Amino acid sequence: MAAAVAEGFGGPERVEVVQVPIPQPGAGQVRVRVRAAGLNPVDGAVRVGVFGGEGQRLGFGWDVAGEIEELGAEVSGWAVADRVVGLHYGTVKPLGTHAEYVVLDASALAPAPASVDDVTAAALPLSGLTAARAVDLLELAPGASVLVTGAAGAVGGLAVQLAARAGYVVTALAGADDEELVRSLGAARFVPRGGTPAAAVDGVVDTAVIGGPALAFVRDGGAYVGLIPGAAPAAERGVRVVEQEVAADGAHLGRLVTLVDAGELALRVARTFPLAEAPKAHAQLADPGTRGRIVLTA
């Protein structure tokens, strides 16, 4: 099968599409025929060596949408040809979802949304689980004020929607041209990038990884949720500082799928590339004007 990998750290030019053996599912696993797979910032970080792996083949891709092709032993509740979405967790791995086939634990899968195609569905797993976990970690009462940084991004846009759905009054921090977009996602207030909220907020979901400046927007005793383990600023003024770490959780993913099918969670795809053009997709990843998820099709 074809798969996108890198044999060393560097820019998009290090990504190559090679032929590798089709993976075989073990006990509790399934093999999925990949139809679409998201390209996320974490893939760019893997490519440049943020997570290590020197001397190893590096595979890319966490999100997958496709259909089950083979069941491993001890798998129940799934059948061949079921449409699924899933998360392939792991930074340094020899193969990811940027391939024609991927093997995942059955527990990482959820039924694919019936209301959208595979390309759109591939924008859900990593971004959706990350945003949902971050909003859950706020642990604030309904009506609390919440600021989402990077609100026009793939994760930020989902965080805005989920925070508004949780009953929070959402302020979106994004580029000046993104106000209409983030308000359409549920933001009640808007702050252009570089600006300051009119008043301190009860909590921040820092999808833009601003760090200290975002923490400064939080009232004493509020909550700050970071997205990258180990990157959050030190707690101060009684602000509760927590970090989300995504997990391959099919049950949680299934609840997000239900929201998509109910029309309560909108997914955004910025651009698609065939798997054969994976290096071009990685180059697109560096464009700060990208709004929504880049998706590879296999």
Side-chain angles (χ1 to χ4, degrees):
M1 69 170 187
V5 302
E7 298 293 346
F9 304 144
E13 73 282 353
R14 296 309 302 262
V15 180
E16 55 183 330
V17 179
V18 300
Q19 292 293 314
V20 299
I22 295 175
Q24 302 302 313
Q29 297 182 318
V30 301
R31 182 167 67 230
V32 176
R33 175 63 172 95
V34 179
R35 298 301 178 185
L39 175 65
N40 292 274
V42 67
D43 293 304
V46 169
R47 191 192 68 236
V48 299
V50 169
F51 304 103
E54 185 173 1
Q56 301 178 46
R57 183 179 67 187
L58 302 172
F60 301 103
W62 293 52
D63 302 303
V64 63
E67 65 266 0
I68 294 176
E69 199 218 32
E70 184 176 344
L71 303 173
E74 303 173 13
V75 173
S76 60
W78 296 106
V80 171
D82 283 349
R83 287 187 66 235
V84 293
V85 288
L87 181 70
H88 188 8
Y89 180 88
T91 49
V92 179
K93 53 196 178 190
L95 289 173
T97 62
H98 296 173
E100 292 179 296
Y101 298 91
V102 65
V103 166
L104 295 175
D105 290 343
S107 61
L109 299 175
S115 58
V116 299
D117 61 15
D118 289 330
V119 168
T120 305
L124 177 63
L126 181 56
S127 295
L129 288 169
T130 299
R133 173 71 170 154
V135 171
D136 288 348
L137 286 170
L138 286 168
E139 298 180 356
L140 298 169
S145 58
V146 170
L147 175 72
V148 177
T149 70
V155 177
L158 291 172
V160 169
Q161 295 176 72
L162 292 167
R165 188 176 182 278
Y168 299 137
V169 179
V170 179
T171 298
L173 178 65
D177 294 337
D178 293 318
E179 181 173 3
E180 182 178 355
L181 168 63
V182 295
R183 286 190 182 275
S184 74
L185 297 176
R189 300 165 184 160
F190 176 76
V191 176
R193 189 180 300 116
T196 301
V201 295
D202 297 312
V204 163
V205 175
D206 190 15
T207 78
V209 198
I210 294 173
L215 179 67
F217 297 149
V218 182
R219 63 164 174 81
D220 294 359
Y224 169 99
V225 180
L227 264 64
I228 300 177
E236 60 179 48
R237 300 179 289 106
V239 175
R240 180 172 54 88
V241 173
V242 293
E243 298 170 324
Q244 80 81 36
E245 184 165 5
V246 75
D249 184 339
H252 195 176
L253 183 56
R255 293 193 289 273
L256 297 176
V257 167
T258 298
L259 294 180
V260 172
D261 280 339
E264 298 181 24
L265 192 62
L267 303 173
R268 294 178 295 140
V269 174
R271 190 170 175 186
T272 63
F273 292 85
L275 177 62
E277 295 182 4
K280 292 183 180 179
H282 274 255
Q284 180 68 37
L285 190 63
D287 183 350
T290 301
R291 294 291 179 264
R293 183 58 62 227
I294 297 168
V295 175
L296 294 176
T297 57

